[in-house]
Amino acid sequence: MSIDMATLALMGAVQALLMAIVLWTSTGSYAGVARASLRLRAGALVLEATAWVLLGLRGHVGDWLSILVANAVMLVSYAMTVHALRLLLGAPSRQRVVAMASVAGWLAIAWFAWVTPDFQVRVLCASLVILLDLGLLIAPLCDSLRRGGSAAKRVLLATLSIAVAMVLWRNAEPLLSSRPAAGLLAPTPINVIYMMFSAVQPLFTSIGFLLLYNETMQAELKSLARIDPLTGVNNRLALIEAAERALEVAMVDGRPLGALMLDADHFKTVNDRFGHSGGDKVLLSLVAHIQRVLGRHDVLGRIGGEEFVVLSPGSGVQQTRALGERIRAAVENMPLTIDGHALAMTVSVGVAGAAPGESDVAALLQRADAALYAAKRAGRNRVMATEDIVPTDTPTPA
């Protein structure tokens, strides 16, 4: 049974158009990078459908439409897909490289279509640009091959890898068979397989994009649920999770874990004098100066109001005390101006260390909190550890 290649091309166009509609409508309730990415891919699918329609009409429309315009539209659709995927994954866009390759490839196609007609070279020129685009699509997906990698990335990686194999096979087949290359609409075995895969590729690629979009949105929602909206540091939930992980590591490795509880001194007067907007500026400056002092593995979180916690994995009480002193000095010396008024700010710091084998996060933070309030009672702008607390309820010797 003979296969009508033009019909396959039109089927590919319909498939691409349907998936464009699915992608576009799937992003209606969201915003941001993920939505922009899927809408770019939807636009690319519309262009891809246009290119397949023009190809399927070859012989019924002029060659300038079915060759020059169709190839131009197809190359633009690939360029948009590269930008869409790399945008979604947070990878460099490589737009300049893709644009230059697309223009050079299209000019070569035009030359070998009209000036020096050579079908095989024309196909090779288009294929080289497509292979470059496929390579740029595949590169940021390769980390999915690691254990626990993204399922969405693997779907896209598999689909795009097959696309690479199809392009290479189509270019190699005439050389291996010693037969001249046949036009894409000629029903040769490679052309039939190539066209059938191209007809379903939009479906699998779009499934991959939707899965990746869902993974991205889930990651963003998880991140938002763990980030303090004002300062951008960990919130209480994220901090507790980080402390639990740090205690688990400390138990296994036998390493210490230090905790600091920090509180901005007299912060209520700042809010009373400058309002909450002024208070927010103070907190942002406070966080910025604390972060400059922290080590690479230290974790900073806001647990409410003007109170912050720092976890310092691998640090004993004395090392953590020294870190607290560096933070205290950095805050005391930070230049701070609110509404044109110079403002001095200090912090009180409580220090606690995890006991060997300790797994109770609440107990650790409670000890740091007790040391913090001891520092407050002792006059503020100082660092105190749990060892420095003098019990107030000890009976007086007779």
Side-chain angles (χ1 to χ4, degrees):
M1 182 180 69
S2 63
I3 297 177
D4 186 355
M5 302 296 287
T7 300
L8 275 180
L10 294 176
M11 286 175 58
V14 171
Q15 185 91 270
L17 208 52
L18 289 174
M19 295 315 302
I21 295 171
V22 170
L23 291 184
W24 188 273
T25 56
S26 297
T27 59
S29 58
Y30 296 99
V33 169
R35 180 184 185 184
S37 170
L38 256 69
R39 293 202 163 181
L40 266 173
R41 175 56 184 161
L45 284 168
V46 172
L47 293 180
E48 189 176 325
T50 303
W52 284 118
V53 168
L54 293 174
L55 174 65
L57 294 176
R58 184 169 295 176
H60 302 282
V61 298
D63 285 351
W64 66 275
L65 267 176
S66 64
I67 297 177
L68 297 184
V69 175
N71 276 285
V73 171
M74 185 64 78
L75 292 178
V76 173
S77 77
Y78 267 95
M80 289 175 65
T81 300
V82 170
H83 183 43
L85 182 61
R86 296 182 77 89
L87 176 67
L88 187 59
L89 296 174
S93 66
R94 307 291 188 232
Q95 289 184 69
R96 181 173 295 183
V97 173
V98 173
M100 290 174 62
S102 298
V103 171
W106 184 82
L107 290 174
I109 290 168
W111 180 271
F112 290 107
W114 297 100
V115 181
T116 310
D118 190 321
F119 175 75
Q120 184 61 42
V121 176
R122 192 176 82 212
V123 170
L124 179 61
C125 293
S127 298
L128 289 174
V129 180
I130 291 172
L131 286 172
L132 171 66
D133 291 340
L134 288 171
L136 291 172
L137 288 167
I138 287 172
L141 300 172
C142 290
D143 61 354
S144 66
L145 296 176
R146 295 199 300 259
R147 189 173 184 178
S150 163
K153 287 185 178 182
R154 289 176 178 175
V155 170
L156 282 169
L157 183 60
T159 303
L160 296 170
S161 298
I162 295 172
V164 169
M166 290 289 102
V167 173
L168 292 174
W169 184 17
R170 184 164 179 257
N171 281 271
E173 197 268 344
L175 300 176
L176 296 175
S177 64
S178 300
R179 292 194 302 267
L184 191 56
L185 295 183
T188 63
I190 177 57
N191 280 351
V192 171
I193 296 172
Y194 182 84
M195 290 290 285
M196 290 179 69
F197 173 76
S198 299
V200 299
Q201 183 182 347
L203 172 63
F204 291 104
T205 305
S206 298
I207 289 172
F209 262 87
L210 285 171
L211 291 172
L212 192 57
Y213 173 73
N214 182 63
E215 286 184 0
T216 302
M217 294 306 301
Q218 291 294 330
E220 287 182 2
L221 291 173
K222 183 177 180 180
S223 176
L224 287 172
R226 286 160 174 76
I227 297 297
D228 177 60
L230 172 62
T231 61
V233 300
N234 296 292
N235 63 10
R236 179 184 289 271
L237 172 62
L239 191 70
I240 297 300
E241 291 176 344
E244 289 173 346
R245 290 193 299 270
L247 283 174
E248 288 176 4
V249 172
M251 289 178 63
V252 173
D253 296 345
R255 301 174 62 201
L257 172 65
L260 296 173
M261 186 84 74
L262 303 93
D263 185 84
D265 296 328
H266 304 295
F267 187 75
K268 184 178 183 300
T269 61
V270 176
N271 278 333
D272 291 343
R273 183 179 177 187
F274 300 105
H276 288 291
S277 62
D280 290 347
K281 292 177 183 177
V282 171
L283 290 177
L284 289 170
S285 182
L286 182 67
V287 166
H289 281 77
I290 292 173
Q291 288 176 321
R292 291 173 189 169
V293 178
L294 298 182
R296 185 160 58 98
H297 300 294
D298 296 334
V299 179
L300 173 63
R302 183 186 181 195
I303 58 173
E306 64 276 18
E307 283 195 338
F308 296 85
V309 168
V310 173
L311 300 172
S312 187
S315 297
V317 172
Q318 294 309 314
Q319 291 172 298
T320 308
R321 185 199 294 268
L323 173 61
E325 182 58 39
R326 291 196 299 273
I327 292 173
R328 187 206 62 77
V331 173
E332 183 181 34
N333 296 317
M334 72 180 183
L336 188 59
T337 303
I338 304 295
D339 297 336
H341 299 280
L343 186 67
M345 178 57 59
T346 62
V347 291
S348 298
V349 184
V351 181
E358 182 173 5
S359 60
D360 190 343
V361 172
L364 173 64
L365 296 182
Q366 188 174 20
R367 293 198 301 275
D369 190 52
L372 166 65
Y373 280 94
K376 291 277 190 184
R377 289 193 300 269
R380 295 183 170 85
N381 190 27
R382 65 192 64 223
V383 179
M384 291 190 69
T386 50
E387 290 82 353
D388 304 324
I389 302 175
V390 177
T392 57
D393 58 347
T394 304
T396 304

